[in-house]
């Protein structure tokens, strides 16, 4: 594996690359790194692909602008497109997990000729509207705690998470994994509660994340902090204005969706299962798979099953 630096204007992006062949470009979510795709990089590099995974701006070895507006989907999409152009003259397969999924599908809408297929993990495609995700959550969790509401006040979540980075990450990773039994991430807490209140600190972590794996994340967030990553949650309210020209568009590229059966994301909207029909707003959804027992970190918790389904999808292209 090699690491290169790709520039999008003043933004420097750290990108991990392995293998030779058609390019697969991977985009991570919160709170993660390029490292979240380690199992896919190894597997598909051995299958004849060139696999790249970037540190999204705000994370790891990439630039960390301070202002909230730097983290809109339009800006994140420009970063992803810049990496794709740098690494390939041909259209690219794009994968996204968690916030990386909306980043990936927005990038594919903004730069349709650059991307030939889109794989979404844990978060399905939702067409752009005049309302942000935050508007939806604020309405559904009025008077209640919801982590995206908690993230809006600058510095508050940063202070809580940075007080003990390794412990915070253990709690967050475990709380929305398939191993958690208490649904702590969606627990009914007072509106003024902290993110980590009520979360289990697993000792040790489940087998899908070793102590060495956790240390990779802990070192990165200890050095880079959480402001950039959390700014994505703040910037989402700016997305509708910047993306109004994409409103209502369906995802045009061949796509797939892979989720974990026990992922709390599917129940973020009370009374709705977001995984019930995740391909309905895609023009060409070719594969949907909900992996039994897996939680939110599906490509890390169930790498073999995830890789198998992605390989099936790639074979359809």
């Amino acid at each position: 594996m090699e690491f290169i630096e790709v520039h999008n204007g003043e933004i420097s992006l750290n990108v991990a690359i392995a293998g030779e062949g058609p390019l697969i470009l991977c985009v991570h979510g919160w709170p993660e790194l390029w490292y979240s795709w380690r199992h896919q990089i190894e597997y598909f590099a051995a299958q004849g692909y060139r696999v790249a995974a970037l540190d999204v701006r705000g994370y790891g070895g990439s630039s960390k602008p301070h202002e909230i507006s730097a983290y809109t989907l339009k800006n994140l999409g420009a970063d992803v497109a810049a990496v794709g152009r740098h690494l390939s003259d041909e259209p690219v397969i794009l994968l996204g997990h968690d916030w990386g999924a909306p980043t990936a599908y927005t990038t594919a809408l903004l730069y349709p000729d650059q991307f030939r297929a889109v794989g979404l993990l844990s978060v399905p495609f939702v067409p752009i509207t005049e309302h942000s995700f935050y508007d939806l959550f604020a309405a559904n969790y009025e008077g209640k705690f919801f982590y995206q509401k908690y993230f809006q006040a600058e510095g508050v979540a940063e202070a809580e998470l940075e007080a003990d980075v390794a412990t915070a990450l253990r709690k967050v990773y475990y709380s929305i994994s398939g191993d958690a039994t208490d649904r702590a991430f969606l627990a009914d807490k007072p509106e003024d509660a902290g993110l980590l209140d009520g979360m289990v600190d697993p000792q040790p972590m489940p087998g899908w994340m070793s102590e060495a794996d956790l240390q990779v994340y802990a070192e990165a967030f200890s050095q880079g902090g959480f402001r950039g990553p959390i700014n994505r949650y703040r910037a989402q309210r700016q997305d509708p204005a910047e993306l109004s020209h994409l409103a209502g568009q369906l995802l045009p590229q061949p796509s797939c969706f892979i989720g974990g059966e026990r992922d709390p994301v599917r129940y973020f909207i009370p009374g709705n299962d977001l995984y019930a029909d995740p391909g309905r707003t895609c023009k060409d959804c070719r594969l949907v798979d909900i992996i039994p027992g897996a939680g939110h970190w599906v490509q890390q918790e169930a790498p073999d099953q995830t890789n198998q389904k992605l390989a099936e999808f790639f074979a359809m292209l």
Side-chain angles (χ1 to χ4, degrees), residues 10-60:
E10 297 180 352
I11 298 296
S12 174
L13 300 160
N14 179 51
V15 185
I17 309 172
E20 294 295 334
L23 183 67
I24 301 170
L25 178 55
C26 306
V27 187
H28 69 79
W30 184 89
E32 300 182 87
L33 299 166
W34 73 265
Y35 190 75
S36 305
W37 298 99
R38 60 195 178 280
H39 302 295
Q40 289 66 50
I41 294 171
E42 178 182 13
Y43 180 83
F44 287 106
Q47 299 296 315
Y49 291 92
R50 191 181 193 197
V51 191
L54 73 152
D55 282 335
V56 172
R57 66 165 71 187
Y59 292 83

Side-chain angles (χ1 to χ4, degrees), residues 160-296:
E160 182 185 14
L161 294 167
E162 291 168 11
D164 185 341
V165 170
T167 299
L169 290 174
R170 277 198 308 272
K171 289 182 175 182
V172 169
Y173 293 153
Y174 180 77
S175 69
I176 47 178
S177 73
D179 296 278
T181 58
D182 56 3
R183 291 288 175 93
F185 217 75
L186 289 178
D188 188 5
K189 298 191 292 188
E191 194 168 20
D192 60 354
L195 175 69
L196 304 178
D197 291 353
M199 286 188 181
V200 171
D201 183 4
Q203 297 284 359
M205 279 289 288
W208 55 268
M209 181 173 286
S210 69
E211 186 60 35
D213 293 333
L214 181 65
Q215 192 62 26
V216 171
Y217 294 109
E219 288 180 1
F221 286 98
S222 294
Q223 293 173 12
F226 282 86
R227 178 180 172 86
I230 292 174
N231 269 352
R232 171 62 213 133
Y233 291 91
R234 298 166 181 145
Q236 64 180 305
R237 288 186 285 180
Q238 301 177 28
D239 291 331
E242 290 191 350
L243 302 174
S244 60
H245 62 294
L246 300 177
Q249 289 190 23
L250 306 185
L251 187 63
Q253 293 91 346
S255 65
C256 75
F257 176 78
I258 299 171
E261 175 193 27
R262 293 179 52 77
D263 190 340
V265 167
R266 66 188 299 181
Y267 304 115
F268 270 9
I269 306 300
N272 289 276
D273 181 357
L274 297 181
Y275 293 1
D277 188 9
R280 68 186 182 280
T281 53
C282 304
K283 287 187 177 181
D284 188 8
C285 183
R286 301 189 180 186
L287 181 150
V288 171
D289 193 69
I290 309 301
I291 297 178
H296 184 64

